Amino acid sequence: MCPGKGISGKVDKEIIKKLEEGYRKVHDSRHCKSLLKKYLTESTFDKLKKLKTKYGSTLWEVIQSGVMDLDSSVGVYAPDPDAYIIFADLFDPIISDYHEGFKKTDNQPEKDFGDLNKFIDLDPRGEFIVSTRVRCARSIETYPFNPSLTEPEYLRMENDVSYTLQTLTGEYKGKYYPLVNMKTTIRKKLAEDHFLFKEEDRLLKAPSTYRFWPIGRGIFHNTDKTFLVWCNEEDHLRIISMQMGGNLGAVYKRLVGGTFRCYQNQTV
């Protein structure tokens, strides 16, 4: 597939109808100030409305959150990696605007975590900082994002992710807790530890991020509860390192080490 070309002429008539109604709804609203409204011009809309990604996502999956929640500041959601290419005429100016001028021609930073030794304990006497948390998100190749994931894909990804996480050793050794059929006692404990995530964000619900909930979702944490991984909350993986106090260096090193170990042990 040529970049930006997409699969033309394959979008269902009902989707086209929803798109046209959604386009009018956004542009007719005096209260809508989203970047979607700003950059989805009539010419851009006409160019993109009949395209599909290789995962089968349409422009509707991209803009539905902005159509349903007119108070959204952005109003778009990428349903899969290919969407950034196929619908680039919409995504590129929005990304540039949101990130204050970062264009697709600009260089991304190097794919490393920098010099780990530059991060130190910011509060060695424990006078000011209660706790420190650093997190990152990762997407798994070959899978679309949550709005376009099928139920079998959710299950397959969770199976591979949970297996990988439970092969971790040392300070990262822990247990994976699937949300499906989770015992009340476990749910209560995870909630008390502030580890539990829920399907309560309307801005995530609108783009179908919570499809098939709670299938394919789960939480992993190590024995010391300083290293966590969320599976399919919003991103495929949300990797978190945390501990009491202000030792940013220790927290960041744990995050980097855990991320690399997940990569080395992966089965997906």
Side-chain angles (χ1 to χ4, degrees):
M1 184 186 300
C2 297
K5 294 295 183 180
I7 305 172
S8 183
K10 302 293 184 179
V11 179
D12 186 84
K13 290 182 179 179
E14 287 301 311
I15 298 297
I16 295 292
K17 182 180 178 181
K18 288 171 66 174
L19 280 167
E20 291 174 343
E21 291 174 349
Y23 174 83
R24 289 194 296 270
K25 179 181 177 182
V26 168
H27 282 277
D28 288 347
S29 173
R30 292 181 296 173
H31 304 291
C32 180
K33 307 294 183 182
S34 67
L35 294 179
L36 167 65
K37 181 176 182 178
K38 182 177 180 180
Y39 292 107
L40 188 62
T41 63
E42 185 175 1
S43 60
T44 299
F45 177 75
D46 289 338
K47 180 179 179 180
L48 302 180
K49 68 181 181 181
K50 292 184 179 180
L51 299 182
K52 273 187 178 182
T53 70
K54 63 184 178 183
Y55 295 91
S57 303
T58 70
L59 183 63
W60 175 248
E61 279 74 46
V62 174
I63 72 168
Q64 61 180 329
S65 62
V67 172
M68 297 175 69
D69 293 305
L70 294 174
D71 60 336
S72 173
S73 61
V74 178
V76 296
Y77 199 103
D80 59 59
D82 199 38
Y84 288 110
I85 299 172
I86 303 307
F87 303 111
D89 286 348
L90 179 59
F91 274 111
D92 286 350
I94 288 178
I95 292 171
S96 179
D97 191 320
Y98 187 82
H99 291 287
E100 298 183 355
F102 189 88
K103 304 179 293 297
K104 64 178 180 180
T105 55
D106 291 335
N107 293 324
Q108 293 284 348
E110 293 296 326
K111 295 181 180 179
D112 63 52
F113 288 91
D115 185 354
L116 304 188
N117 294 319
K118 288 186 176 181
F119 294 91
I120 60 174
D121 189 338
L122 302 177
D123 186 18
R125 296 183 179 181
E127 297 176 324
F128 307 105
I129 300 174
V130 175
S131 63
T132 304
R133 174 182 298 204
V134 182
R135 68 182 188 180
C136 67
R138 289 293 181 268
S139 298
I140 300 174
E141 283 187 310
T142 74
Y143 286 101
F145 302 143
N146 277 344
S148 293
L149 279 169
T150 64
E151 186 173 348
E153 286 174 327
Y154 269 116
L155 292 169
R156 186 168 69 252
M157 190 194 305
E158 182 188 31
N159 180 71
D160 291 338
V161 167
S162 62
Y163 176 83
T164 296
L165 291 172
Q166 292 182 112
T167 63
L168 297 178
T169 58
E171 71 167 313
Y172 300 102
K173 185 177 181 179
K175 186 175 181 179
Y176 181 83
Y177 301 90
L179 294 195
V180 173
N181 298 323
M182 180 177 284
K183 293 181 179 179
T184 303
T185 53
I186 295 176
R187 183 179 297 276
K188 181 180 178 181
K189 183 58 179 173
L190 290 172
E192 289 174 350
D193 290 333
H194 304 288
F195 293 171
L196 191 66
F197 58 86
K198 304 176 182 179
E199 77 287 20
E200 296 178 344
D201 191 328
R202 64 180 175 87
L203 296 178
L204 294 180
K205 183 177 181 180
S208 301
T209 301
Y210 297 137
R211 292 175 74 202
F212 310 113
W213 185 277
I215 290 171
R217 280 83 169 183
I219 300 161
F220 170 89
H221 69 72
N222 67 345
T223 303
D224 293 335
K225 298 182 179 180
T226 56
F227 182 75
L228 286 76
V229 179
W230 288 351
C231 179
N232 285 318
E233 179 248 3
E234 178 181 1
D235 304 288
H236 291 163
L237 298 176
R238 188 71 62 87
I239 304 171
I240 307 165
S241 175
M242 63 185 187
Q243 69 184 50
M244 301 304 292
N247 197 336
L248 177 60
V251 173
Y252 187 64
K253 286 179 181 178
R254 185 185 305 112
L255 176 82
V256 175
T259 302
F260 274 118
R261 282 166 176 76
C262 289
Y263 176 78
Q264 292 167 349
N265 294 11
Q266 67 179 327
T267 59
V268 290

